[in-house]
Amino acid sequence: MKQVLHIKNMVCNRCIKVVKEELEKLDIQIETIELGKVGISENLDKDQTEEVRSVLNENGFELMDDKKSQLIDRIKTIIIEKTHYSNDEKEPVNFSEVIAGEVGHDYSYLSKLFSSVEGITIEKYIINQKIEKVKELLVYGELTLNEISYQLGYSSVQHLSNQFKKVTGLTPSHFKKLKENKRKPLDEV
C-alpha cells in the first residue's frame, strides 16, 4: 500500500460503497477500504489529489490532510462503529480504553484535542451517538426500552430515559408516539 487517504463523513457501509465507486471511476487502485480510510496502491500527484478532493466533496465527504483532523475523525469512526455497527454481546464499552488503544495516543491528549476542535467532549459525542441509536431502535419498535438499555450498555432504563430526555427534550415513550422522524444523519450528530 503506497498511500492512505483519510476521508471525513464516511460513517456507514453505503458511504464505503460510494467512495469505492467514485475512486474506481478515477482509475485509482484500492487495496483496502474501511470507515474513514482508503488504502491505495499508488501515490497521488497534486492534480490527482485535487480531483479526488473534488469528487469526494461532491458526495458529501472531505479529504483530510492534517494529522489532528485525521485523529478526530478516527475517534468519531470508532465511536460510530462501536455504537451503531458492533454486533458483540453488549458488555459496557470502555470508550477511553478502546479509543486510546486503537488510535495509539494517550486518552487525555485525545480528549483535549477533540474538545478544542469539536467544541464538545468525547463523552458528549458518545452520548449523542447512543441517543441516535436509541431513536433508531425506538422507530423500528422491535425492542423494549429495557432491551435497548441493555444493548447500549446503560446501567438502567432510568439512566437511559434521563439521558434521552436531557438530549432530546422528550421521554423515549413520547418520542416513540411522535409520527415525524426526528433522527439525524450520523455525520450531523
Side-chain angles (χ1 to χ4, degrees):
M1 186 168 10
K2 294 265 187 183
Q3 187 175 355
V4 175
L5 304 175
H6 296 273
I7 302 171
K8 186 175 183 176
N9 297 331
M10 233 175 122
V11 296
C12 65
N13 291 333
R14 204 168 334 130
C15 297
I16 290 173
K17 182 178 186 241
V18 170
V19 168
K20 183 176 188 278
E21 289 171 356
E22 292 299 330
L23 293 179
E24 286 173 348
K25 285 180 196 172
L26 298 174
D27 290 325
I28 294 174
Q29 199 67 32
I30 297 171
E31 289 189 7
T32 62
I33 187 165
E34 61 185 78
L35 294 178
K37 282 199 295 194
V38 180
I40 58 174
S41 59
E42 62 203 76
N43 284 323
L44 301 180
D45 64 30
K46 202 172 196 171
D47 290 339
Q48 288 172 310
T49 301
E50 287 312 308
E51 193 173 18
V52 167
R53 186 181 313 281
S54 175
V55 165
L56 291 174
N57 287 344
E58 289 170 12
N59 287 282
F61 305 107
E62 185 180 327
L63 186 61
M64 295 185 302
D65 299 323
D66 71 277
K67 295 289 183 207
K68 289 181 179 179
S69 293
Q70 291 172 12
L71 278 177
I72 289 167
D73 197 61
R74 184 70 188 124
I75 292 166
K76 287 180 173 182
T77 300
I78 291 165
I79 294 166
I80 288 169
E81 284 175 339
K82 294 287 181 200
T83 306
H84 296 276
Y85 303 113
S86 181
N87 293 328
D88 304 340
E89 280 302 311
K90 290 299 177 188
E91 288 184 28
V93 175
N94 183 331
F95 278 100
S96 59
E97 283 180 12
V98 171
I99 291 167
E102 288 194 29
V103 176
H105 284 280
D106 178 63
Y107 184 77
S108 64
Y109 165 75
L110 295 172
S111 181
K112 288 174 189 160
L113 174 67
F114 192 94
S115 295
S116 69
V117 173
E118 293 296 312
I120 63 169
T121 64
I122 291 176
E123 291 73 19
K124 181 74 174 162
Y125 186 80
I126 292 166
I127 290 168
N128 290 344
Q129 289 297 332
K130 281 184 166 187
I131 296 305
E132 284 306 309
K133 183 66 175 181
V134 172
K135 289 179 186 179
E136 174 187 331
L137 295 171
L138 287 171
V139 168
Y140 290 145
E142 296 172 0
L143 300 176
T144 66
L145 202 52
N146 198 31
E147 291 168 325
I148 293 170
S149 171
Y150 175 75
Q151 183 175 333
L152 291 175
Y154 281 95
S155 58
S156 68
V157 172
Q158 189 60 46
H159 181 215
L160 165 70
S161 296
N162 289 343
Q163 227 174 45
F164 191 91
K165 184 162 183 161
K166 187 175 180 183
V167 171
T168 67
L170 303 168
T171 64
S173 55
H174 187 231
F175 175 85
K176 193 172 182 174
K177 288 177 189 170
L178 292 176
K179 295 295 178 203
E180 62 184 275
N181 190 343
K182 294 207 177 276
R183 292 188 54 221
K184 297 178 187 174
L186 295 183
D187 58 341
E188 292 178 15
V189 174

